[in-house]
Amino acid sequence: MFFLTTAIDYTNGSPHIGHAYEKVLADVIARYRRLRGDDAYFLTGVDQHGQKVQQTAEKEGVSPAEFVERTTKKFSALWEKLGVQYDGWAETTNDLHKDCVRKILTDLKEKGQLYKKAKKDLYSVRQEQFLTDRDRNEQGEFGPEWGEVVEIEEENWYFKLSAHADWLKNFIETTPDFIEPAFRKSEVLNALERSPGLDLCISRPKSRLRWGIEFPFDPDYVTYVWFDALINYISFAGYLADPSTGLPNFDQLWAKNDRRPVHIIGKDILVPAHGIYWPTMLHAMGFADDKIPQLLVHGWWNIRGEKMSKSIGNIVDPNELADKFGVEAVRYYLVRDIVTGKDSDFDLDRLIMLFNTELANELGNLCNRALNMSQRFTGGILHHGGPLQDEDLALQKSLVDSIAAYQAAMDDYDISKGLEALNRHVVHCNGYAERQKPWELNKNPENKDRVSTILYHFAESVVHIAVLISPVLPEITAKLAEQLNLPGLTGFQLDDLKWGILPDGHEIGKPKPVFPRIVLEEPKA
Ligand code: MSP
């Protein structure tokens, strides 16, 4: 079982292109794993507690519950629009999740992992957390990301993070597949090095924050939002749950799975939340080292080198983009123009250019050649044709090479490289067309067999490419399956991709362009 999750999005605002990227990336990986023959289970959802939500709801004059219900819908509606197909949906105000968090708190307390203590400390109101020297920047100051920093004296519950610092350091150093890409490992190790002795404050007094999960053994407190949110990955996977709840079977997804679950997260939430708190929490709960999930850490979409932010006013709205350019153009761009793990600059001109060149021109042209020419030259019937020439064999080899490169890249979560590998074959096919010129050959009836062979090579290539591109463009694949008159294509797996899928005499359906060029209206003078 391939169990993957994304970060759960804060519901104190609206989804932007960064949230959309992460969900599309996860969706593409889940769909690809299914192509690969794996059973994949994809969990995503929303993070609904915390001070920010309480504050924004207050400002808007509604209860936090009403507020999160409204904002949650914006996220789920967008995922539906973008074709993000998840199997499990996590909402942290769900009672089943709250039960799980309380059971974990009780269990950790019984295991001696929690203690209560009064402490005077610096606190970031914006980030809802106590600050340590680790959070100071190179100038020794707290940067603007922390907002207002105040000193607070408070009695709180603490989790003994420091008791496991040596275990964590050793785990990170000896587990090469824990953090992907590997270069991010040092960020966690450096953070550990700077403050190995710190424990984690996991409660907030109700006098300050009511919108959270109440402590099971101390009703004056609610649970710190990160401690609550991280637990979603196991609570919605059925951890400690009764089968009557309808939650998944935890053994199948996690405890007895021979593959680590994969958490897809942005680089900003690696340290400290996912790289330090989460593995330590799991370890303290009793999870074995081989049951600690893998972290796939992606980079950020920026705008002209700058962070997207409400205050700068440069937020890109995925809803608007999808309405304007189509859902699949957006999906394609979001995984094509970024290397997983690195940052990228969002650029509308590149979205249009990549769609128009790689999809409308190259792949669109190949589909047109396979479908339209077959309709016109051979009455829509495909034949294996005559003896193969070197050019035909070279085309078949190009396909085999492309599939191998695609698979290696996709296994490595490098979607952009995978798509590049497919494009190489499409470009090869179009070059083959230009050299073979079936439209010229077709003028002489003696070339009938040769024309059939060439058209068959186009059509067979389209079948393969349609399957391989389906994790990114599922709707377009379905349209191509219809036009190829091959309904089974949408259920194909990688193992089914052997040359000769289309039988001799196969009749294709009615061709219809699936990649209309994006043409922007000229601005009015
Ligand atoms: N609620 C926490 C995560 C809790 S997980 C137990 C959170 N939410 S968030 O809404 O701020 O971010 C959700 C995800 O979106 C994070 O993985 C974050 O890195 C990602 N992105 C937010 N802005 C982004 C970009 N500009 N680009 C790419 N992804 C970014 O953090």
Side-chain angles (χ1 to χ4, degrees):
M1 170 71 75
F2 195 98
F3 177 38
L4 78 163
T5 71
T6 69
I8 48 173
D9 298 312
Y10 277 132
T11 42
N12 63 327
S14 301
H16 57 58
I17 203 74
H19 300 120
Y21 163 58
E22 186 176 278
K23 306 309 168 271
V24 170
L25 172 65
D27 184 59
V28 169
I29 294 173
R31 289 175 190 261
Y32 168 72
R33 296 311 311 191
R34 291 188 188 112
L35 264 195
R36 201 68 171 74
D38 284 333
D39 228 356
Y41 188 96
F42 167 21
L43 171 70
T44 188
V46 280
D47 187 353
Q48 298 172 311
H49 285 128
Q51 199 153 324
K52 286 183 215 166
V53 167
Q54 180 173 300
Q55 282 166 349
T56 321
E58 259 165 32
K59 260 190 236 153
E60 301 207 359
V62 291
S63 69
E66 198 181 329
F67 176 75
V68 292
E69 199 186 319
R70 204 197 301 152
T71 44
T72 293
K73 278 195 194 125
K74 292 191 195 171
F75 286 88
S76 55
L78 178 65
W79 306 150
E80 193 178 338
K81 182 171 185 168
L82 293 182
V84 174
Q85 268 178 5
Y86 44 82
D87 305 285
W89 179 249
E91 289 186 6
T92 51
T93 54
N94 184 320
D95 283 339
L96 295 173
H97 170 74
K98 291 186 192 172
D99 280 351
C100 183
V101 171
R102 291 195 190 107
K103 280 184 192 159
I104 290 171
L105 284 168
T106 306
D107 176 55
L108 287 176
K109 184 164 172 276
E110 278 166 11
K111 287 190 167 123
Q113 297 289 334
L114 309 183
Y115 62 90
K116 198 176 180 184
K117 185 179 158 191
K119 246 175 117 180
K120 199 179 205 175
D121 249 327
L122 293 173
Y123 184 80
S124 153
V125 178
R126 181 162 173 200
Q127 301 297 344
E128 304 169 38
Q129 70 182 72
F130 283 100
L131 300 176
T132 64
D133 285 343
R134 179 171 70 201
D135 304 312
R136 293 181 190 273
N137 59 22
E138 279 163 11
Q139 289 78 45
E141 292 159 2
F142 294 112
E145 69 276 20
W146 300 113
E148 188 191 358
V149 175
V150 291
E151 197 176 54
I152 298 189
E153 167 147 29
E154 220 170 63
E155 196 174 25
N156 269 307
W157 283 95
Y158 287 82
F159 166 52
K160 290 185 182 167
L161 202 61
S162 60
H164 308 285
D166 288 342
W167 165 80
L168 182 60
K169 185 166 178 281
N170 181 55
F171 174 72
I172 297 173
E173 280 168 349
T174 56
T175 315
D177 66 337
F178 172 45
I179 299 176
E180 188 70 42
F183 73 85
R184 297 247 175 238
K185 214 163 90 165
S186 56
E187 292 174 19
V188 185
L189 288 172
N190 290 344
L192 265 181
E193 194 77 18
R194 268 181 278 143
S195 50
L198 284 179
D199 286 338
L200 175 65
C201 177
I202 57 163
S203 68
R204 298 292 180 265
K206 277 198 185 156
S207 52
R208 197 149 64 72
L209 175 70
R210 298 197 70 82
W211 188 237
I213 302 177
E214 188 179 282
F215 261 58
F217 41 81
D218 201 344
D220 291 339
Y221 290 86
V222 294
T223 314
Y224 169 45
V225 68
W226 266 109
F227 192 88
D228 154 4
L230 287 162
I231 288 175
N232 96 87
Y233 299 131
I234 52 178
S235 63
F236 289 95
Y239 182 61
L240 304 179
D242 192 273
S244 65
T245 55
L247 287 169
N249 178 322
F250 191 69
D251 279 353
Q252 205 188 355
L253 288 190
W254 200 307
K256 298 206 171 133
N257 193 349
D258 52 14
R259 196 193 278 272
R260 289 182 198 279
V262 179
H263 294 331
I264 302 178
I265 57 165
K267 63 176 187 178
D268 56 316
I269 56 174
L270 172 64
V271 177
H274 286 82
I276 297 182
Y277 303 162
W278 184 227
T280 310
M281 284 163 68
L282 290 169
H283 175 69
M285 282 177 223
F287 282 60
D289 287 8
D290 64 346
K291 299 297 164 208
I292 304 290
Q294 177 179 53
L295 304 175
L296 172 58
V297 188
H298 64 75
W300 270 41
W301 280 100
N302 296 320
I303 311 288
R304 286 184 205 94
E306 269 191 296
K307 205 172 152 173
M308 251 187 294
S309 89
K310 261 196 213 154
S311 51
I312 305 178
N314 60 358
I315 301 263
V316 179
D317 177 0
N319 262 302
E320 269 176 33
L321 279 184
D323 290 341
K324 197 160 174 191
F325 301 109
V327 164
E328 303 225 323
V330 175
R331 285 176 65 100
Y332 189 79
Y333 178 70
L334 285 181
V335 288
R336 176 68 183 95
D337 209 21
I338 191 166
V339 175
T340 311
K342 302 268 173 67
D343 289 352
S344 188
D345 230 40
F346 185 87
D347 184 338
L348 261 192
D349 289 340
R350 283 190 58 80
L351 182 152
I352 297 170
M353 186 277 285
L354 284 165
F355 184 90
N356 283 348
T357 51
E358 296 182 351
L359 296 180
N361 289 0
E362 291 291 353
L363 185 52
N365 217 348
L366 175 61
C367 293
N368 179 43
R369 283 169 167 157
L371 295 159
N372 264 332
M373 280 189 195
S374 300
Q375 242 358 307
R376 283 181 14 237
F377 300 166
T378 59
I381 311 287
L382 297 170
H383 291 289
H384 286 173
L388 296 181
Q389 298 184 359
D390 284 353
E391 277 265 17
D392 309 331
L393 295 173
L395 184 146
Q396 292 182 23
K397 180 171 182 307
S398 149
L399 181 58
V400 170
D401 292 348
S402 281
I403 295 178
Y406 163 91
Q407 188 170 331
M410 297 293 281
D411 281 355
D412 235 10
Y413 309 121
D414 196 344
I415 319 298
S416 181
K417 211 165 162 195
L419 290 172
E420 241 173 60
L422 298 187
N423 291 335
R424 276 203 295 281
H425 180 64
V426 174
V427 169
H428 184 109
C429 289
N430 285 328
Y432 166 89
E434 296 301 332
R435 292 187 296 276
Q436 296 289 320
K437 298 192 176 34
W439 49 90
E440 295 286 337
L441 293 173
N442 192 52
K443 291 179 186 158
N444 181 349
E446 275 179 21
N447 294 328
K448 199 168 151 269
D449 267 1
R450 184 67 202 140
V451 170
S452 289
T453 309
I454 296 166
L455 296 181
Y456 186 84
H457 278 70
F458 295 153
E460 189 69 14
S461 289
V462 170
V463 169
H464 285 72
I465 298 289
V467 172
L468 297 163
I469 214 164
S470 66
V472 181
L473 308 177
E475 272 181 32
I476 285 175
T477 299
K479 284 186 192 159
L480 286 173
E482 200 184 316
Q483 297 184 30
L484 286 158
N485 188 22
L486 203 64
L489 184 145
T490 48
F492 278 14
Q493 296 189 341
L494 287 191
D495 281 351
D496 300 317
L497 296 183
K498 309 249 160 38
W499 189 264
I501 290 169
L502 293 162
D504 193 54
H506 179 82
E507 185 170 356
I508 55 160
K510 233 176 145 227
K512 236 188 358 289
V514 289
F515 300 107
R517 278 180 73 79
I518 299 176
V519 183
L520 277 193
E521 278 174 34
E522 289 294 321
K524 299 208 171 71

